[in-house]
Amino acid sequence: MLWLPLAIILPLHSYSQSTTRHDALERPIDRRTLVTRFNPTRQDTISATTPMQVGNGNFAFGSDITSLQTFLPFATMAAWGWKNDSLPEGRTHTDVDGYQGVKWDNHGRLVQYDFGGPPDIEAWLRGSPNRVNLGRVGLRFWSKENVVLNVTEGDLQSAKQTLDLWTGTLTSRFKFQEEEVRVRVVSDFETDTIAFEIQSELVRDGRLGLFVDFPWCEGKEKFSAPFVGLWHVPEKHTTNITLTSLSARIAHRMEDSLFYTDILGDKFSVVRHSPTNHMYDIRPLEGGRRPPTFSLSVSFSSGSSAPGSKPPPSPSRIFAASKEGWERFWTGSGFVDLLTGSTDPRAEELQRRIVLSRYLMRVNEAGDTPPQESGLVNNGWFGKFHMEMYFWHSAHWALWNDWDVLHRSSSIYSRFLPAATALAQTQQGWAKGARWPKMADPSGRSSPGEINNLLIWQQPHPLIFAAYEHRAFPNKATLRKWRGVVKATADWMSEFAWNNETTGRYDLGPPMYVVSEDTSPNSTVNPAFELAYWRLGLEIAEDWFEKLGEPVPRQWTRVRQGLAPLPVDKDQQGELTYSVYEGIEQTFWTDSKYTSDHPALVGLHGWLPPTEGLDLSVAQKTARKVWSHWNTSNCWGWDFPMLAMSAARNGFHSEAIDFLLHREFQFDDIGMPIGGTRVPTPYFPGSGSLLYAVGMMAKGWDGNPEGRIAPGFPAYGWRVRVEGLSRAL
């Protein structure tokens, strides 16, 4: 389905000269009121696809209507929670280490890639390591006769679950057999620990406690959603328990990977259901008259945490830490108020998406490594992270000034530098530089696959992150910190650009894949977006070395200045627009093969700032033609914020809002970005790109109209207030 925004029939200057209302002397934004206005609530029903979560960015716990995992086995996941599957039958580690793919010609140079090799080894390398579900924690009910009850969600009355966003507290209330039950759950902000508090007369009567259970996890399936792990193959893995007077530790072994679950709190007893399964019942310990409250901490760790290590924090400490940590998050960085004073009815939904996205990104994507597409909710692409998506996942932290968060994962570039250098030089034979992988695991190893090896738009990303960090911390320490990454990144960019002696210019490709991954890699040359991104990246690298006081490598400048011009297309009326790549068929605008995926052409002036050689008039006409010709019903996730940024830079402010609230760009009742038909829910690049676009539209960008507050928003119907944000490039 094609969608034609109203802006296409309006003059280009329609909204460009407006000024948003602003009072510099007004009171600070009432952040708590705005945040808690959107506290998610569910009643009597259970979402079969998305859980309410608590977590800290490295660790997250997903829950059903009970605020635990009583009825639905949502995941407990951590950034460090990985395992390798057993090797393919008849294969050894020597076979895996010696894997080689095909060699393709790259302008007279044979380059060895990670695809086209032995299929069984490639499948293992894609699926290992894979992220694991660390365990399940749910409510256990007993009868008055001390028999375990088989309770379903239909046995609960008046069930209601609420998430207090300001403190990160899940609360569920319901009745069971006429007795009221309240469950509260939080996550520690530092350790990978959750705390539970269960309050009911059923606790006093010894009829309500917890169970823990452990699944088998493997990397055979590309997607594991909405649930992660298999519960019906207990023979494939083992658990055992160690008890002390105050705590319990359950060791869970899958293949060669070992994980621990530590339980601490009120006195309890533990009973294993059967030696052949991995379910344990945890019950308040008898002795005197029980109180009606049962509180526990449950902590998760890897096998490196040996018995005798530091015990988990107490439940009371974790409840306090959650409150303090979330208040610090909400008050200590950027904030946007679109709702107070706005009359446009779209403001309510956009504010809801912003608040809930901020919470969910802090829970799922504030860890030590780049997040996977579904964060810590479930598994996509075997749990691996995609380095081209890292921009959409994490660049918003820079605009919203969450540098304590961004510093954790952006260090991945220095950590991956040896692996990326080996990929570029040792494996592929380039003379210098580091080639950043597309799909990787925590070791930095590139996963096999043709697209994984031939995509290139992830390459300039570290230069953008470096530039944003230097804006926030403009000192020599920042310049020195990123020097190695900047140099290796730009070195490979200048190596990959081919000196075409016939034309006297530098070409990109072939072979390569463009952003949309829908062109033939062996005929794709000089794609418009990648050419512009290459220029911007090399310009940043040159400026970096100038600031360091070091000589700028001549090859960087030579390539940047000599890159091929952006390819253009002329229609029958003589109007020029940019093309996906040089030499693409002239009918590509009406060919669904090329107009049904990520519309990167709008990124030329929107996501990216104007780059050398960009004609703003042609870029604007290109964006409008994308609006009218692209199959937006097949677009997804970050496509819509990218379209919004293009509309905003080009002066179409109302249309920018339309894209952020497009009918194909949906968020569910708790703020999870819908994956749709393309990928499972959630698809968090949608959330990260939404926050990046809103930050840019609210605070502005380099070269935006002077004196205009919130230059990306419409002038009429919107009152935009901004605190603590930084300008976009």
Side-chain angles (χ1 to χ4, degrees):
M1 180 182 296
L2 300 178
W3 183 74
L4 188 64
L6 179 64
I8 290 179
I9 62 174
L10 297 176
L12 298 186
H13 62 276
S14 296
Y15 299 115
S16 62
Q17 302 300 319
S18 305
T19 302
T20 302
R21 292 170 52 197
H22 177 72
D23 182 357
L25 300 178
E26 62 191 346
R27 293 179 179 178
I29 296 171
D30 185 351
R31 298 188 179 197
R32 182 166 189 164
T33 296
L34 273 175
V35 169
T36 57
R37 177 189 182 99
F38 299 103
N39 285 347
T41 298
R42 284 176 170 168
Q43 298 189 59
D44 296 323
T45 58
I46 297 177
S47 170
T49 57
T50 59
M52 286 200 200
Q53 290 178 294
V54 293
N56 58 31
N58 265 319
F59 166 83
F61 176 85
S63 69
D64 61 25
I65 194 72
T66 65
S67 291
L68 296 168
Q69 298 154 338
T70 307
F71 304 120
L72 295 175
F74 287 121
T76 305
M77 301 185 78
W80 45 261
W82 300 79
K83 68 169 279 290
N84 283 323
D85 291 346
S86 57
L87 292 174
E89 185 176 357
R91 295 293 192 179
T92 67
H93 285 291
T94 301
D95 297 326
V96 173
D97 293 341
Y99 166 84
Q100 290 185 342
V102 299
K103 292 183 178 180
W104 279 12
D105 177 74
N106 190 305
H107 302 291
R109 175 204 305 267
L110 282 179
V111 175
Q112 184 175 305
Y113 296 105
D114 290 332
F115 61 88
D120 59 338
I121 295 180
E122 285 190 0
W124 188 89
L125 288 169
R126 278 193 296 270
S128 291
N130 49 82
R131 292 186 196 247
V132 305
N133 182 352
L134 297 170
R136 179 183 180 186
V137 184
L139 293 175
R140 173 71 75 217
F141 298 84
W142 286 268
S143 70
K144 294 179 180 178
E145 294 74 30
N146 205 35
V147 176
V148 172
L149 297 176
N150 182 21
V151 177
T152 68
E153 58 268 29
D155 296 319
L156 308 186
Q157 299 89 44
S158 304
K160 181 178 180 180
Q161 183 187 26
T162 301
L163 171 59
D164 181 356
L165 299 168
W166 193 258
T167 63
T169 305
L170 281 169
T171 302
S172 289
R173 299 176 187 270
F174 56 87
K175 286 186 177 182
F176 177 73
Q177 296 183 349
E178 302 306 317
E179 294 288 350
E180 293 187 358
V181 178
R182 187 189 76 172
V183 180
R184 293 200 305 145
V185 181
V186 297
S187 169
D188 193 16
F189 230 61
E190 300 298 332
T191 68
D192 301 327
T193 309
I194 42 178
F196 310 97
E197 180 190 81
I198 307 170
Q199 187 172 20
S200 176
E201 287 300 314
L202 294 172
V203 173
R204 190 192 301 276
D205 295 341
R207 296 175 53 203
L208 181 59
L210 297 170
F211 71 83
V212 293
D213 198 3
F214 301 91
W216 165 256
C217 301
E218 61 187 17
K220 292 183 179 179
E221 298 295 331
K222 181 177 180 179
F223 297 106
S224 298
F227 310 119
V228 178
L230 303 174
W231 305 89
H232 62 282
V233 286
E235 70 279 2
K236 289 191 173 185
H237 53 128
T238 63
T239 57
N240 60 75
I241 189 167
T242 303
L243 294 171
T244 70
S245 59
L246 298 174
S247 64
R249 165 168 280 199
I250 301 173
H252 181 207
R253 182 174 292 278
M254 293 182 284
E255 304 285 4
D256 294 328
S257 299
L258 181 63
F259 304 95
Y260 291 118
T261 301
D262 289 287
I263 306 167
L264 176 74
D266 294 340
K267 293 182 179 180
F268 60 89
S269 62
V270 182
V271 175
R272 184 171 186 167
H273 271 224
S274 164
T276 60
N277 68 26
H278 306 293
M279 181 178 285
Y280 298 79
D281 286 342
I282 302 172
R283 200 168 184 179
L285 195 63
E286 297 184 28
R289 181 168 172 78
R290 296 186 185 93
T293 302
F294 186 38
S295 299
L296 289 177
S297 301
V298 180
S299 185
F300 300 88
S301 58
S302 67
S304 60
S305 302
S309 60
K310 187 176 180 180
S314 67
S316 60
R317 285 186 58 190
I318 295 173
F319 274 96
S322 178
K323 181 176 183 293
E324 178 186 345
W326 279 106
E327 288 184 352
R328 187 169 61 246
F329 170 72
W330 289 117
T331 60
S333 55
F335 204 88
V336 174
D337 175 8
L338 305 179
L339 197 55
T340 307
S342 291
T343 58
D344 192 310
R346 298 176 294 180
E348 176 90 16
E349 173 59 14
L350 187 51
Q351 186 76 59
R352 183 188 79 92
R353 295 184 181 193
I354 293 167
V355 169
L356 293 177
S357 294
R358 287 280 287 163
Y359 177 84
L360 288 170
M361 298 301 273
R362 186 62 181 81
V363 166
N364 287 277
E365 307 215 342
D368 297 329
T369 56
Q372 64 164 319
E373 314 301 63
S374 53
L376 299 172
V377 177
N378 52 52
N379 272 344
W381 289 275
F382 315 100
K384 304 288 180 67
F385 36 82
H386 290 188
M387 296 299 286
E388 85 279 15
M389 287 292 102
Y390 182 53
F391 179 91
W392 295 121
H393 282 291
S394 299
H396 65 94
W397 298 121
L399 300 192
W400 292 72
N401 279 305
D402 292 287
W403 284 99
D404 59 326
V405 172
L406 185 53
H407 279 150
R408 299 175 186 175
S409 61
S410 63
S411 64
I412 201 71
Y413 288 112
S414 59
R415 285 180 275 154
F416 277 10
L417 186 56
T421 302
L423 174 65
Q425 299 180 32
T426 305
Q427 176 183 318
Q428 297 189 353
W430 300 98
K432 56 187 175 182
R435 183 171 192 172
W436 302 109
K438 176 197 184 297
M439 176 172 153
D441 60 49
S443 72
R445 184 184 66 192
S446 177
S447 293
E450 187 174 303
I451 293 176
N452 289 344
N453 277 248
L454 298 178
L455 202 73
I456 68 168
W457 65 280
Q458 71 274 18
Q459 185 68 22
H461 285 355
L463 302 170
I464 304 301
F465 284 102
Y468 274 130
E469 184 164 340
H470 189 256
R471 285 187 169 199
F473 308 97
N475 53 51
K476 286 287 186 180
T478 302
L479 293 170
R480 289 192 293 267
K481 170 186 173 181
W482 282 91
R483 182 193 181 281
V485 169
V486 168
K487 186 174 190 308
T489 300
D491 277 347
W492 189 82
M493 291 170 67
S494 65
E495 279 289 301
F496 182 76
W498 175 59
N499 184 10
N500 187 334
E501 295 181 355
T502 302
T503 61
R505 66 190 188 185
Y506 285 91
D507 292 340
L508 298 184
M512 60 165 292
Y513 274 102
V514 296
V515 172
S516 53
E517 302 174 7
D518 57 6
T519 64
S520 171
N522 287 309
S523 60
T524 300
V525 60
N526 292 328
F529 178 82
E530 285 78 357
L531 280 170
Y533 205 16
W534 236 246
R535 284 191 175 92
L536 176 62
L538 288 172
E539 182 180 343
I540 291 171
E542 291 176 81
D543 182 64
W544 202 269
F545 269 63
E546 288 176 357
K547 286 184 169 69
L548 278 168
E550 297 186 27
V552 175
R554 294 180 181 177
Q555 182 69 0
W556 299 358
T557 305
R558 192 157 45 238
V559 168
R560 178 181 59 79
Q561 293 178 343
L563 276 172
L566 302 186
V568 294
D569 172 71
K570 180 185 291 186
D571 65 15
Q572 292 180 345
Q573 288 72 43
E575 182 173 82
L576 294 179
T577 53
Y578 288 116
S579 299
V580 175
Y581 67 87
E582 182 181 305
I584 193 172
E585 59 190 64
Q586 290 188 330
T587 58
F588 84 90
W589 283 109
T590 56
D591 188 342
S592 61
K593 174 183 176 182
Y594 300 111
T595 58
S596 295
D597 218 316
H598 305 306
L601 284 173
V602 301
L604 292 170
H605 185 230
W607 169 12
L608 300 186
T611 53
E612 184 180 355
L614 182 78
D615 186 310
L616 293 182
S617 174
V618 175
Q620 198 172 60
K621 292 173 184 176
T622 302
R624 289 187 293 159
K625 197 162 185 175
V626 167
W627 295 356
S628 61
H629 284 70
W630 228 260
N631 180 14
T632 53
S633 63
N634 208 44
C635 290
W636 49 309
W638 52 274
D639 293 346
F640 295 102
M642 180 173 64
L643 285 159
M645 288 188 284
S646 173
R649 276 205 206 244
N650 285 308
F652 299 105
H653 306 112
S654 185
E655 286 68 31
I657 304 298
D658 288 341
F659 281 125
L660 293 181
L661 298 172
H662 195 278
R663 60 181 173 269
E664 302 294 341
F665 186 45
Q666 295 295 317
F667 292 71
D668 74 5
D669 62 318
I670 62 173
M672 294 279 186
I674 302 298
T677 60
R678 304 292 299 273
V679 293
T681 297
Y683 182 69
F684 279 123
S687 302
S689 57
L690 171 82
L691 293 173
Y692 188 87
V694 168
M696 170 188 155
M697 291 165 60
K699 184 62 178 179
W701 54 87
D702 292 354
N704 62 247
E706 292 186 12
R708 193 175 194 283
I709 307 300
F713 281 83
Y716 306 105
W718 292 84
R719 184 172 187 265
V720 181
R721 299 179 62 203
V722 176
E723 292 177 351
L725 264 66
S726 292
R727 191 179 68 251
L729 291 172

